[in-house]
Amino acid sequence: TAMAAAAAAAKPNLLLPISVAIPSSRVSLPTGLVCSARSPPPRLRAAAAAAAASQALTSPVAAETPEAKQMRVETEAALEWGGVCARLAGFASTAAGRAACGEGRVPVGRSREESERLLEQTAAAALLPAPLDFGGVEDVSAAIAAAAGARLLAVREICGVGRSIRAARRVFDQLKTLSEETPDGRSYTPLLDIMQDCDFLTELVQRIEFCLDYTLSVVLDRASDKLATIRKERRKNIDMLESLLRDTSTKIFQGGGIDSPVVTKRRSRMCVGVKASHKHLVPGGIVLSSSGSGATYFMEPRDAIRLNNMEVKLSGDERAEELAILGLLTSSIADSEMKIRHLMGKILELDLACARGSYALWINAVRPAFTDRDSDTQLNPNSECSVFIEGIQHPLLLEQSLSMVKESTGVGKGQLSDEHLVSPMPIPLDMQVRNDTRIIVISGPNTGGKTATMKTLGLASLMSKAGMFFPAKGTPRLPWFDQVLADIGDHQSLEHSLSTFSGHISRLRKIVQVVSKDSLVLIDEIGSGTDPSEGVALSTSILKYLASRLNLAIVTTHYADLSRLKAVDDRFENAAMEFCLETLQPTYRILWGSTGNSNALSIAKSIGFDQKVLARAQEWVEKLLPDKQKERQGLLYGSLLDERKLLESQANEAASVLSDVERLYNEIRSEADDLDSRVAALRATESEKVQQELKFVKSQMDQIIKDFESQLKNSELEQHNSLMRKAEAATASLAATHQPTDFTFGDEENESSYVPEIGDKVYVEGLGGGSMASVVETLGEDGSCMVQYGKIKVRVKGNEIKLVQRGTKDTSASSPVKAKGRTPKRSAAEANQDGNVSFGPVVQTSKNTVDLRGMRVAEASHELQMAIDGCRSYQVLFVVHGMGTGAVKECALGILRNHPRVAKFEDESPLNYGCTVAYIE
């Protein structure tokens, strides 16, 4: 009780629900592991500082301004930094490591020293003879947060914390063993330094392992003396209870009260099964439940009541003691929250370092080195260059090629050699930037690789800052850039009212605001999207402003004037993308110090553009020489005026068409809105008619029954049959009067003189009433023919068929078919000749369309009948029946032929496939 009260005082909300149910007990552990419920010790300052430093390592820049953060996020998206992080996730061993890589939370050095340390960790990880075993390390951040938030942890969560801490210690022991067994043990020092200041919480892990079983996730008997006593008493009580019930069940079986001895549990109490008819075999027993049929009772014998009560009490005591133990362990985990978080953060850092090492082996990457513009150039002949990279390849493009090689050759990661690289690989690039160069202007043809070159250098800078190696030759050298700022791609935004040029200028403004002395700036097509003369002037001003405020900037352009800045300013340097004039294809190689041409006409010719258009373009190139500027301006101005007039004419025509469309739309919309009210009124009218008819029929039936009963009372027994027949005849006559009308055929003379012709619609005896077939072939002189009903074709005799409607070839000559209470169906031609009929516009909307696809024939027939009845007068109805097996289509066409309101219908056409248009009277 004292321990529970102390724990409740230390964690007010943790053990409060169970403290009242815990009698005096003491958790017994091995020497030195006795659970203590004293208040948590103060946090260790060193552990807190290390955890804070580890957390800060994952943040990009301390005190980052909103503009700088936005530029960083947009730059990482433009350079596809997320793609590199996603590739790295495939080499992570822990769930936390894969999540960090997948979310782009790969730690990036905030200073040159931090990036150097990350590179050393990657180099050490690449030397590992085998991957470290991170098995058992789980993501326990949620459990730690729950414990700190005063929530009682479950056995599974506490076991996860214990396993993770134990696995972290095992990883550290692996590193120590490798360091001791290796002749030069200092190779793994950077990895060992990650785990040096970690507290592996040996006492907490031993306490958890002593109290809990990791495999079964249960509390062990040895966790406390009281728990061991309770479970011992409970096992003893259960043995006595089961022995008693087995004996009772055997006696019931011997007495014929059950087919086989049954001992079970009902309502948390042990009982025996007995037939309901032999309930007396359990004198004084309590019926807890019965079987579904009621033939078997599950009874608790009188002697087992005390033992069952003891089982319920001991079970509750055991659960209360387990909760007390879990509460003490949760409190211990909460007390060690900062230490556990720090340890898991270090494990994550080690996992990411190993992932970077494996990724470097996979892409055959090399370690970069950071340069300083003020370093001594005499020590290294290449140190006069701030950027010196030979044979660099874009990591994402290279990774795609390596994946194809692996699939084709079966070579695993880290096992690739030069002979395996037979598939197309990214062309290596050489980059050499002198120390005194600040701005590099890259010119050359479209699709020549200017933007890819910029992205490759930007991605290499980010990877080196994050401690990652990149594919190149030798030892690549480049400065450490505190920021990488990029303006690549079209930033047009209709949402923010930004055109292509305004979006471009907006990003340049942000770059000018956040740039620093150690920044790398990448600008694609600077000054594009506006008048060339103004674009050149603006670009020149921006570049001259940035030249004294950054470390390095690389821009691409098609403006030849920007390439001439090198002649007047030593801080500028030119580069060109090589273009082969023989093959008219770019080679994707950089020519440093050269100026490239756009070669637009050559590229157009290589892709097969019309030669006449290219010849005319060449003529315009010759006209645009400097000595013909005025003439060029006049011609351009005249052509622009003509084009303006043409565009205005087209705009006026488009406005007129739009006005007509809007007017038609409004008309259709008003008719569609009025359709619902008409349908409701029609349904109300029809419903009233049906109710009146039902009342009339009911009164007639009541009169028939009344007359029958009256005559039955006054008649003799011999007259009963006659009276019943009269009543049945009257009932049948009433039913026939109100039965749906059906077709009747012509007189015997017409029937006998009828000669079948192809296309006639006929009724065939034996196919059932209402089944109409079509004549597809005439056979013998006896008038026999071949008819088709659905997909079935059958030969019938002339006296077995009756004409309904003549085919389209001879409709006028056929005998009209009368229908009871109906008028004959008009043909489409007759309906069109009726000048007084004007149907609505043939425009399909959701309100004048009935979709029968996917329905059965009966359901489709009912749906179509309801749709026709709901149409207003002179409306067009679109019946969508699809194709399928053709059953629904045949049903729909039959209803449209026979319905009195259907004036005509048009079969489907190539422009209206699977849909029939019906005109409703």
Side-chain angles (χ1 to χ4, degrees), residues 364-366 389-393 470-474 476:
N364 295 324
V366 295
I389 306 176
E390 291 182 321
I392 185 173
Q393 296 172 299
F470 53 80
K473 297 179 181 178

Side-chain angles (χ1 to χ4, degrees), residues 761-779:
K761 304 298 182 181
V762 296
Y763 277 103
V764 182
E765 295 181 3
L767 291 181
S771 300
M772 185 168 59
S774 300
V775 177
V776 295
E777 183 180 355
T778 59
L779 299 176

Side-chain angles (χ1 to χ4, degrees), residues 649-663:
S649 174
Q650 293 176 350
N652 294 332
E653 183 179 355
S656 176
V657 173
L658 178 61
S659 176
D660 294 340
V661 172
E662 290 179 349
R663 179 178 53 78

